[in-house]
Amino acid sequence: SANLYFIVSIVVMVICIVFYNMAHRLPVIKYYNELKIQVVNEEKEEKGVMAGVIWKSTLSEIVGRVKWYGLGILIIYVVTLCIFPGYITEDVHSQILKDWYPILLITGYNVFDLVGKSLTALYFIENAKVAVGASFARLLFLPLFLGCLHGPEFFRTEIPVTVLTCLLGLTNGYLTSVLMILAPKTVQFQHAETAGIVIVLFLVVGLTAGSVVSWFWVI
């Protein structure tokens, strides 16, 4: 029911807030916070307190270093939101699964998205060019899913759509994690947090652009 849905969501949010506020007590977090403070203090001793012009120059340099990672993430979410969930819920149908079809596709996407995010613990792409290139290669999902609408009869059946949806989720989760991890490593340690914020801004732009473009699929 709707009440159960919101109750579960609220419980999960509360748990996340509690864990977030407890995270700073972990030894690894304390270590990196202390390391950051030390590096920042050393930088202040060398360069003095950053004035507005210097900070703008530093920010510009950070953006320049992470822009390709950011564009990769932007493309990831434009492609994903072009297809999911609008296309999945509105454009594909199954005579066998009926109303369960979009539910199963959405479940499959989310499960494989989680698997993709977790895969970085087992295998991680260190090569930035490969990671960014793979993000742009996801544009191939657009003609493939279009083929599931207007292509040969087999492409319009449940199996190809399900496989593509799961691959969409898997690559979305994995490549997002990889690029989010790689981007802050391209700048000095004390600027890693700023680089992360810049990457998140690219992500937000991707989410917005993808949501707008997705209307073309639904319409």
Side-chain angles (χ1 to χ4, degrees), residues 164-181:
L164 284 174
T165 301
C166 292
L167 286 175
L168 184 74
L170 184 69
T171 54
N172 183 86
Y174 182 74
L175 292 173
T176 297
S177 295
V178 168
L179 292 174
M180 284 286 193
I181 293 169

Side-chain angles (χ1 to χ4, degrees), residues 87 92 143-152 155-157 160-161 164:
Y87 169 88
V92 294
L144 288 173
F145 273 97
L146 192 62
C148 292
L149 277 180
H150 307 292
F155 276 15
R156 288 180 275 172
T157 58
V161 175
L164 284 174

